[in-house]
Amino acid sequence: MDAIFVEGLTKQFRSGWPGQPAVTALAGLSLSVRRGEIYGFLGPNGAGKTTTLKILMGLMKASGGKAEVLGKPAGHVASRRGIGFLPESPYFYDYLTAEEFLAFYGHLAGLEGAGLKRRVEALLDLVGLAEARDRQLRKFSKGMLQRIGLAQALIHDPELVILDEPMSGLDPIGRKQVRDLILALREQGKTVFFSTHIIPDVEVMCDRVGIVVKGKLLASGTVEELVSRGQGRTVEIVCEGFKAAVPPAITAARGQVLPRGNHCVVVLPDPDRLEDVLAGIRLHGARLVSVTSQRGSLEALFFHPPDGQQAGGHPGERV
Amino acid sequence: MIGLNTFRENLRDKILYNLLFFALLLIGVSVLLGMLTIAEQDKIVPDMGLAAINLVGVIIAIFVGVGLVSKEIERRTIYTIMARPISRTQFLLGKYLGLVLTLLVNVAIMSAVFVATLWMDRLPIQASLFQAIQLICVELLLVTALALFFSTFSSATLSAIMTLGFYVIGHVTVDLKGIAEKSESQALKAVTTGLYYLCPNLEVLNIKGAAAAGHMVALSYQALASAYGLLYAALLLTAASLVFQRRDF
Ligand SMILES: Nc1ncnc2c1ncn2[C@@H]1O[C@H](COP(=O)(O)OP(=O)(O)OP(=O)(O)O)[C@@H](O)[C@H]1O
Ligand SMILES: [Mg+2]
């Protein structure tokens, strides 16, 4: 049985005003997350990631389709005992101290007494907030809030952890810590399902990835599978002593020439005509320094999805 | 748990300052009255005391009550709460009970100050006063339920306005019925009759005047009035829960 199973999920938001069209946030999304894997839910802003996660948590009702979490319909009250959830830019009761806050959330999840106390200690240590335990959350920085949010999601040792952009608002050290934490969860056999619009995060740690655009799953699979579908496998040739005009072989292969000091970098969109280009360069009297085949990246998929649909994200959005 | 946390929130919200303010006011006024030695002093002090307890209670019930749920949604704290194994009804009842606890503690402290003032002014401390306070508590339970009900489907501000409206109308429903009977216009008749049946009749719970004069009401009346208020509150909570089930956050 899958940890998360979603089929043909749709969600429309009716606008408050009659006559205005409804916003379609999800248009038949299907995906499944297996037990024990880290699944990255990747998509540009407004793709429907948060909407999907809210439906899985029972915070919202789907307009149609099927959503199951841990074998129960999404929103099932008792099965939430096995789920930890971190919402997008989380807000908490800011009049509580870090320790009270975790104790309260542990209580709500059914923990009590010495066991609860131990868990609170352990999690404060885990997210590095042990010194801030007596501070009220209103005095926390954004990164600290993100961490305490992660701690509350894990307080009851859930088997499935659902995180909405867990790395947002964190500095490089914090991102690395969260990354390590998620990897440690997999070691413990937990399932992690997280959303993000940051491609490197997904590439580094996910077992499988689903790419969601405009409320639909465009592609899913391991990072390797997605990348080797042919998009974005480029070749970089560095050479020296380029004399005059660009050799015609490069133009024929749709290559780009980028001058770098007295070097020159030639980028080829695909490796098919590599031999021609290399011959052309030698013919031109230039000296070859290196040739590297760039592994394709998910980025290419993000911007040029297989069936030609544009992802439509903002390139500047990559943090 | 939710209830206790709401209580804790209220405490840290510095509502206790209201109390302190109230207590000082009451003592100040009664001392002033004691000095002026007005003939009717033994009626004015209990009158004012009961009115003040009622007023402070209703203000807290309405203005904290409308924020109970809407604030959680606005601040998005509800996301992580509803991710826990508790149902929406449990959440709603927890919030309600938390505020009720706050209110009861408030009323208890205010009543203690009130009684102490009477005692210092050497005025009689009559059983009728406690009857009045008990029915004030019932009214507060009802008003809180009203505020909670509205806030499950509208903003805090709108809920406050509606609750306040219902509260005021609730105290004049008998007059509304009078208007309905006398009115010529069919439309006005329909509206006033509708309001009469829709709004709780809060005057039933108001025995302050008689109580201040030392007149007790029959115990059967007290029981019946309490039952009426509590039943109304229970209906409101049920409706609130039904509405809340359907909400998206
Ligand atoms: N409560 C709502 N009412 C109306 N429209 C909404 C609501 N919530 C989301 N939407 C719309 O649904 C679409 C998907 O939003 P969603 O928040 O799921 O995106 P996202 O993938 O989480 O984006 P981001 O990366 O920016 O967090 C957007 O077009 C958004 O405007
Ligand atoms: Mg989002």
Side-chain angles (χ1 to χ4, degrees):
Chain A
M1 183 186 49
D2 289 331
I4 296 177
F5 178 75
V6 171
E7 197 171 36
L9 201 64
T10 60
K11 177 75 188 176
Q12 273 99 30
F13 291 105
R14 270 166 303 166
S15 61
W17 305 101
Q20 295 226 343
V23 178
T24 301
L26 295 178
L29 181 111
S30 304
L31 64 85
S32 66
V33 178
R34 299 181 196 131
R35 289 193 185 237
E37 73 178 357
I38 301 181
Y39 190 101
F41 194 40
L42 182 68
N45 290 127
K49 302 184 294 295
T50 301
T51 306
T52 308
L53 266 52
K54 280 186 181 171
I55 291 173
L56 289 177
M57 291 311 299
L59 293 169
M60 260 182 196
K61 296 199 173 39
S63 308
K66 192 164 151 187
E68 281 180 1
V69 184
L70 299 176
K72 293 271 166 26
H76 185 260
V77 173
S79 67
R80 288 191 211 139
R81 207 173 291 277
I83 311 172
F85 177 55
L86 172 70
E88 187 174 27
S89 41
Y91 291 84
F92 304 113
Y93 297 113
D94 55 8
Y95 52 90
L96 296 180
T97 67
E99 198 172 355
E100 287 171 342
F101 171 77
L102 286 184
F104 173 49
Y105 274 71
H107 240 302
L108 289 180
L111 297 176
E112 266 165 25
L116 175 61
K117 226 173 137 59
R118 259 202 316 279
R119 281 300 288 172
V120 171
E121 295 295 317
L123 278 156
L124 282 172
D125 277 338
L126 188 69
V127 298
L129 287 174
E131 300 106 86
R133 59 163 21 129
D134 293 324
R135 215 176 299 168
Q136 285 192 353
L137 295 193
R138 72 176 85 228
K139 293 168 191 152
F140 268 34
S141 75
K142 190 170 177 222
M144 290 164 87
L145 280 177
Q146 193 76 22
R147 283 158 202 243
I148 197 83
L150 213 51
Q152 67 76 31
L154 302 177
I155 186 89
H156 52 302
D157 198 23
E159 55 178 304
L160 168 65
V161 185
I162 297 181
L163 312 168
D164 200 353
E165 311 214 358
M167 252 81 91
S168 73
L170 293 178
D171 58 19
I173 303 170
R175 304 169 81 83
K176 170 130 187 6
Q177 284 173 344
V178 170
R179 203 174 289 168
D180 292 346
L181 214 142
I182 291 178
L183 290 172
L185 285 173
R186 177 174 51 190
E187 292 296 300
Q188 297 164 27
K190 316 279 188 213
T191 311
V192 182
F193 179 62
F194 75 95
S195 82
T196 183
H197 54 253
I198 304 166
I199 298 162
D201 286 346
V202 169
E203 285 179 324
V204 173
M205 57 185 181
C206 287
D207 297 307
R208 286 199 311 141
V209 183
I211 298 183
V212 59
V213 174
K214 293 187 182 148
K216 269 199 175 130
L217 202 73
L218 276 190
S220 73
T222 64
V223 174
E224 291 304 322
E225 278 168 13
L226 292 183
V227 162
S228 64
R229 284 188 194 173
Q231 275 83 21
R233 276 173 55 95
T234 59
V235 180
E236 264 184 34
I237 306 164
V238 182
C239 45
E240 213 175 37
F242 230 50
K243 284 195 196 84
V246 177
I250 296 182
T251 328
R254 289 181 293 120
Q256 264 182 304
V257 182
L258 313 164
R260 296 274 155 80
N262 53 357
H263 285 197
C264 194
V265 181
V266 178
V267 183
L268 294 183
D270 62 74
D272 298 348
R273 321 196 46 173
L274 181 62
E275 285 307 325
D276 299 351
V277 173
L278 290 181
I281 289 173
R282 279 200 208 91
L283 212 71
H284 230 73
R287 198 172 66 81
L288 223 55
V289 177
S290 70
V291 178
T292 24
S293 167
Q294 297 287 70
R295 194 180 69 117
S297 77
L298 279 178
E299 192 158 358
L301 204 61
F302 206 64
F303 291 114
H304 309 284
D307 53 4
Q309 260 181 286
Q310 262 289 323
H314 316 285
E317 206 57 52
R318 295 182 53 213
V319 182
Chain B
M1 253 338 271
I2 300 263
L4 285 180
N5 189 55
T6 302
F7 179 58
R8 176 159 59 176
E9 172 178 8
N10 292 337
L11 282 190
R12 294 197 187 167
D13 225 11
K14 288 146 191 141
I15 275 189
L16 283 180
Y17 292 148
N18 296 335
L19 273 183
L20 201 66
F21 176 70
F22 167 79
L24 289 176
L25 198 77
L26 200 65
I27 292 168
V29 167
S30 67
V31 168
L32 210 70
L33 287 176
M35 288 194 300
L36 294 176
T37 56
I38 301 169
E40 290 233 318
Q41 188 201 351
D42 56 342
K43 174 114 185 1
I44 286 175
V45 175
D47 240 349
M48 282 195 40
L50 288 177
I53 291 175
N54 200 340
L55 188 71
V56 172
V58 166
I59 289 173
I60 297 177
I62 293 181
F63 290 99
V64 181
V66 295
L68 280 179
V69 171
S70 48
K71 214 163 63 184
E72 297 259 354
I73 296 174
E74 247 158 61
R75 288 201 209 146
R76 293 186 266 166
T77 46
I78 194 150
Y79 291 178
T80 42
I81 294 291
M82 290 324 302
R84 302 283 140 186
I86 53 168
S87 71
R88 293 191 177 187
T89 305
Q90 277 174 319
F91 170 78
L92 214 56
L93 283 184
K95 296 302 283 183
Y96 179 71
L97 293 178
L99 180 52
V100 164
L101 181 63
T102 311
L103 283 167
L104 294 183
V105 170
N106 264 290
V107 170
I109 296 173
M110 290 192 285
S111 304
V113 174
F114 174 48
V115 168
T117 315
L118 289 178
W119 183 74
M120 282 193 307
D121 284 352
R122 298 204 175 70
L123 291 171
I125 297 164
Q126 287 147 320
S128 62
L129 297 179
F130 295 101
Q131 272 192 325
I133 291 174
Q134 189 264 325
L135 288 183
I136 286 174
C137 288
V138 174
E139 184 184 79
L140 296 181
L141 289 179
L142 209 171
V143 173
T144 307
L146 207 52
L148 192 67
F149 170 67
F150 285 128
S151 73
T152 51
F153 58 86
S154 61
S155 72
T157 319
L158 205 59
S159 308
I161 293 169
M162 288 198 281
T163 313
L164 210 59
F166 266 61
Y167 177 75
V168 171
I169 295 171
H171 275 288
V172 296
T173 49
V174 182
D175 303 340
L176 276 182
K177 197 170 190 197
I179 294 172
E181 274 158 10
K182 283 186 215 119
S183 141
E184 309 272 294
S185 144
Q186 278 303 318
L188 185 66
K189 207 172 189 127
V191 169
T192 44
T193 316
L195 279 175
Y196 173 75
Y197 285 110
L198 197 63
C199 292
N201 184 353
L202 295 175
E203 269 311 302
V204 166
L205 302 173
N206 179 13
I207 55 165
K208 294 195 291 288
H215 304 306
M216 287 189 67
V217 293
L219 283 181
S220 60
Y221 175 85
Q222 190 184 1
L224 212 62
S226 302
Y228 169 74
L230 294 179
L231 197 69
Y232 209 106
L235 279 178
L236 281 170
L237 290 176
T238 312
S241 160
L242 286 177
V243 175
F244 199 56
Q245 293 298 332
R246 291 163 206 286
R247 269 203 76 156
D248 276 355
F249 304 119

